[in-house]
Amino acid sequence: MSDGDADRRLLRSPPPLGDDEYIEGYAKGYGDGLREALRELRAHAGRGASPQELRMLIESRLARIPDDVEVKRKGLLAPPRRAPWASLLRPPTTPAWTPPKNSLPTPAVAPGETYLLKEDRPRRALEIVERSATAFRRVLLISQHPPTLMSVPADRVEWVRPGAARSDGSEGSPGLDPSGLAGRIREADQAGPVLVYLDAIEFLATEYSLEVTIRFLGWATTEGVRNGSALVASLSPHTVEPRDLSRMERLFRISQ
């Protein structure tokens, strides 16, 4: 085979990708990425995320960019899937709408902050406590039934049980009333920053009245975190009237 035949064959082969096409594809991908990021940020802001939460969301999103790019790259390299004949013959159907799930990552509470989590069962509140515990000297649990914190050593956890307004005659510790709880929080706070977890709001409101409970929450969200401590509370929103729930929400710095 002569060199001339090889040259003529190369001339008939398709030219490499041009610079204009590369620039066009890069610009389109860049624009799609910006739109996706801004829409995600707008969605989180619309759900009432605080500036601190938005900052954590952005940092988490930036850290995931290499993984997202790799998933996108593999998706573009994979061959297209062939649709089965049955699906092609059936008329298209509209999928049922499902409400979006909360995509906010579990935040970490900072010293001096107060969180109120509105949830039927304590879940996110406990996640926040476990994630934040290392920043505090101790974790103080105020609960009728103390939850288990898997990632916190037992010697750094203290349980305080709220007591009933009237003794039922049972043996053992009767627990503390709101004044006693406030005194225990003050004592723990003076020894160093403590993370207080509270899921007994409904119990206190039933035993000592709603007004007494709100006054206790008002103290705990101001004086109780004065020395760098923090408070994370969990409350079922269906157990109080909307007006009373709004009063409680205003006491906390962050309410979700």
Side-chain angles (χ1 to χ4, degrees), residues 91-117:
T93 58
T94 303
W97 180 85
T98 56
K101 295 182 179 180
N102 187 1
S103 59
L104 289 175
T106 302
V109 63
E113 287 189 337
T114 56
Y115 261 85
L116 176 63
L117 282 301

Short mmCIF file of all heavy atoms in Angstrom, two decimals, residues 91-117:
data_model
loop_
_atom_site.label_atom_id
_atom_site.label_comp_id
_atom_site.label_asym_id
_atom_site.label_seq_id
_atom_site.Cartn_x
_atom_site.Cartn_y
_atom_site.Cartn_z
N PRO A 91 -50.53 3.10 26.66
CA PRO A 91 -50.60 4.57 26.67
C PRO A 91 -49.84 5.11 27.85
O PRO A 91 -49.75 4.46 28.92
CB PRO A 91 -52.11 4.85 26.79
CG PRO A 91 -52.68 3.61 27.42
CD PRO A 91 -51.84 2.46 26.90
N PRO A 92 -49.23 6.29 27.73
CA PRO A 92 -48.46 6.86 28.84
C PRO A 92 -49.37 7.18 30.02
O PRO A 92 -50.51 7.60 29.85
CB PRO A 92 -47.86 8.13 28.23
CG PRO A 92 -48.76 8.47 27.09
CD PRO A 92 -49.28 7.16 26.55
N THR A 93 -48.85 6.97 31.21
CA THR A 93 -49.60 7.27 32.43
C THR A 93 -48.85 8.31 33.23
O THR A 93 -47.62 8.38 33.19
CB THR A 93 -49.76 6.00 33.29
OG1 THR A 93 -48.48 5.47 33.59
CG2 THR A 93 -50.59 4.95 32.55
N THR A 94 -49.59 9.10 33.93
CA THR A 94 -48.99 10.15 34.77
C THR A 94 -48.72 9.57 36.15
O THR A 94 -49.64 9.08 36.81
CB THR A 94 -49.94 11.35 34.89
OG1 THR A 94 -50.23 11.83 33.58
CG2 THR A 94 -49.31 12.45 35.72
N PRO A 95 -47.46 9.58 36.61
CA PRO A 95 -47.17 9.01 37.94
C PRO A 95 -47.84 9.82 39.03
O PRO A 95 -48.05 11.03 38.91
CB PRO A 95 -45.64 9.11 38.02
CG PRO A 95 -45.27 10.21 37.08
CD PRO A 95 -46.27 10.14 35.96
N ALA A 96 -48.20 9.12 40.10
CA ALA A 96 -48.83 9.79 41.24
C ALA A 96 -47.85 10.73 41.91
O ALA A 96 -46.67 10.41 42.06
CB ALA A 96 -49.35 8.75 42.23
N TRP A 97 -48.34 11.90 42.31
CA TRP A 97 -47.48 12.89 42.94
C TRP A 97 -47.24 12.50 44.38
O TRP A 97 -48.15 12.08 45.11
CB TRP A 97 -48.14 14.26 42.90
CG TRP A 97 -47.29 15.33 43.53
CD1 TRP A 97 -46.31 16.05 42.95
CD2 TRP A 97 -47.40 15.81 44.88
NE1 TRP A 97 -45.77 16.92 43.83
CE2 TRP A 97 -46.41 16.82 45.02
CE3 TRP A 97 -48.21 15.49 45.96
CZ2 TRP A 97 -46.23 17.50 46.22
CZ3 TRP A 97 -48.03 16.16 47.15
CH2 TRP A 97 -47.05 17.15 47.27
N THR A 98 -46.02 12.58 44.82
CA THR A 98 -45.67 12.34 46.22
C THR A 98 -45.00 13.59 46.77
O THR A 98 -44.21 14.23 46.08
CB THR A 98 -44.70 11.15 46.35
OG1 THR A 98 -43.54 11.40 45.54
CG2 THR A 98 -45.36 9.86 45.88
N PRO A 99 -45.31 13.96 48.00
CA PRO A 99 -44.71 15.17 48.58
C PRO A 99 -43.22 15.00 48.72
O PRO A 99 -42.73 13.91 49.01
CB PRO A 99 -45.39 15.29 49.95
CG PRO A 99 -45.87 13.91 50.26
CD PRO A 99 -46.21 13.27 48.93
N PRO A 100 -42.46 16.07 48.49
CA PRO A 100 -41.00 15.97 48.62
C PRO A 100 -40.61 15.74 50.05
O PRO A 100 -41.21 16.27 50.99
CB PRO A 100 -40.51 17.34 48.12
CG PRO A 100 -41.67 18.26 48.33
CD PRO A 100 -42.91 17.42 48.13
N LYS A 101 -39.56 14.93 50.27
CA LYS A 101 -39.05 14.68 51.60
C LYS A 101 -38.12 15.82 52.02
O LYS A 101 -37.56 16.52 51.18
CB LYS A 101 -38.28 13.35 51.63
CG LYS A 101 -39.17 12.15 51.37
CD LYS A 101 -38.36 10.86 51.46
CE LYS A 101 -39.24 9.64 51.23
NZ LYS A 101 -38.47 8.38 51.31
N ASN A 102 -37.98 15.98 53.30
CA ASN A 102 -37.09 17.00 53.83
C ASN A 102 -35.65 16.61 53.50
O ASN A 102 -35.15 15.60 53.96
CB ASN A 102 -37.27 17.13 55.34
CG ASN A 102 -36.48 18.30 55.89
OD1 ASN A 102 -35.82 19.02 55.14
ND2 ASN A 102 -36.56 18.48 57.19
N SER A 103 -35.00 17.41 52.67
CA SER A 103 -33.64 17.09 52.24
C SER A 103 -32.58 17.87 53.02
O SER A 103 -31.42 17.83 52.66
CB SER A 103 -33.49 17.40 50.75
OG SER A 103 -33.75 18.76 50.48
N LEU A 104 -33.01 18.59 54.06
CA LEU A 104 -32.04 19.34 54.84
C LEU A 104 -31.14 18.39 55.61
O LEU A 104 -31.62 17.46 56.26
CB LEU A 104 -32.76 20.26 55.83
CG LEU A 104 -33.48 21.47 55.24
CD1 LEU A 104 -34.23 22.19 56.34
CD2 LEU A 104 -32.53 22.41 54.55
N PRO A 105 -29.84 18.57 55.54
CA PRO A 105 -28.96 17.71 56.32
C PRO A 105 -29.09 18.02 57.81
O PRO A 105 -29.55 19.09 58.20
CB PRO A 105 -27.57 18.07 55.81
CG PRO A 105 -27.70 19.48 55.31
CD PRO A 105 -29.10 19.57 54.76
N THR A 106 -28.70 17.05 58.61
CA THR A 106 -28.77 17.25 60.06
C THR A 106 -27.77 18.32 60.47
O THR A 106 -26.57 18.16 60.30
CB THR A 106 -28.45 15.94 60.78
OG1 THR A 106 -29.38 14.94 60.35
CG2 THR A 106 -28.59 16.12 62.28
N PRO A 107 -28.24 19.44 61.03
CA PRO A 107 -27.31 20.50 61.41
C PRO A 107 -26.65 20.18 62.75
O PRO A 107 -27.05 19.26 63.46
CB PRO A 107 -28.21 21.74 61.52
CG PRO A 107 -29.54 21.17 61.93
CD PRO A 107 -29.65 19.82 61.28
N ALA A 108 -25.64 20.96 63.08
CA ALA A 108 -24.98 20.88 64.38
C ALA A 108 -25.30 22.16 65.14
O ALA A 108 -25.13 23.26 64.62
CB ALA A 108 -23.47 20.72 64.21
N VAL A 109 -25.79 22.03 66.37
CA VAL A 109 -26.15 23.20 67.16
C VAL A 109 -24.88 23.81 67.74
O VAL A 109 -23.97 23.11 68.18
CB VAL A 109 -27.15 22.80 68.26
CG1 VAL A 109 -26.53 21.83 69.24
CG2 VAL A 109 -27.65 24.03 69.00
N ALA A 110 -24.81 25.12 67.71
CA ALA A 110 -23.65 25.85 68.19
C ALA A 110 -23.90 26.34 69.62
O ALA A 110 -25.05 26.45 70.06
CB ALA A 110 -23.34 27.04 67.27
N PRO A 111 -22.85 26.62 70.37
CA PRO A 111 -23.02 27.15 71.73
C PRO A 111 -23.89 28.40 71.72
O PRO A 111 -23.73 29.29 70.89
CB PRO A 111 -21.59 27.46 72.18
CG PRO A 111 -20.74 26.51 71.39
CD PRO A 111 -21.42 26.38 70.06
N GLY A 112 -24.82 28.46 72.66
CA GLY A 112 -25.73 29.60 72.77
C GLY A 112 -26.97 29.50 71.93
O GLY A 112 -27.86 30.36 72.04
N GLU A 113 -27.10 28.47 71.09
CA GLU A 113 -28.26 28.35 70.22
C GLU A 113 -29.35 27.51 70.87
O GLU A 113 -29.09 26.68 71.75
CB GLU A 113 -27.87 27.72 68.88
CG GLU A 113 -27.10 28.66 67.98
CD GLU A 113 -26.91 28.09 66.60
OE1 GLU A 113 -26.98 26.85 66.44
OE2 GLU A 113 -26.71 28.88 65.66
N THR A 114 -30.58 27.72 70.40
CA THR A 114 -31.73 26.97 70.89
C THR A 114 -32.52 26.48 69.68
O THR A 114 -32.83 27.26 68.77
CB THR A 114 -32.62 27.84 71.79
OG1 THR A 114 -33.03 29.02 71.08
CG2 THR A 114 -31.89 28.23 73.06
N TYR A 115 -32.86 25.21 69.67
CA TYR A 115 -33.59 24.57 68.58
C TYR A 115 -34.90 24.01 69.10
O TYR A 115 -34.94 23.40 70.18
CB TYR A 115 -32.78 23.41 68.01
CG TYR A 115 -32.00 23.71 66.75
CD1 TYR A 115 -30.74 24.27 66.81
CD2 TYR A 115 -32.53 23.41 65.50
CE1 TYR A 115 -30.01 24.53 65.66
CE2 TYR A 115 -31.81 23.66 64.35
CZ TYR A 115 -30.55 24.22 64.43
OH TYR A 115 -29.84 24.47 63.28
N LEU A 116 -35.97 24.18 68.32
CA LEU A 116 -37.23 23.50 68.58
C LEU A 116 -37.58 22.69 67.35
O LEU A 116 -37.78 23.24 66.27
CB LEU A 116 -38.35 24.49 68.91
CG LEU A 116 -39.73 23.86 69.10
CD1 LEU A 116 -39.75 22.91 70.29
CD2 LEU A 116 -40.81 24.93 69.27
N LEU A 117 -37.66 21.37 67.49
CA LEU A 117 -38.01 20.47 66.41
C LEU A 117 -39.45 20.02 66.58
O LEU A 117 -39.79 19.43 67.61
CB LEU A 117 -37.09 19.25 66.37
CG LEU A 117 -35.68 19.40 65.79
CD1 LEU A 117 -35.73 19.86 64.34
CD2 LEU A 117 -34.83 20.33 66.61
#
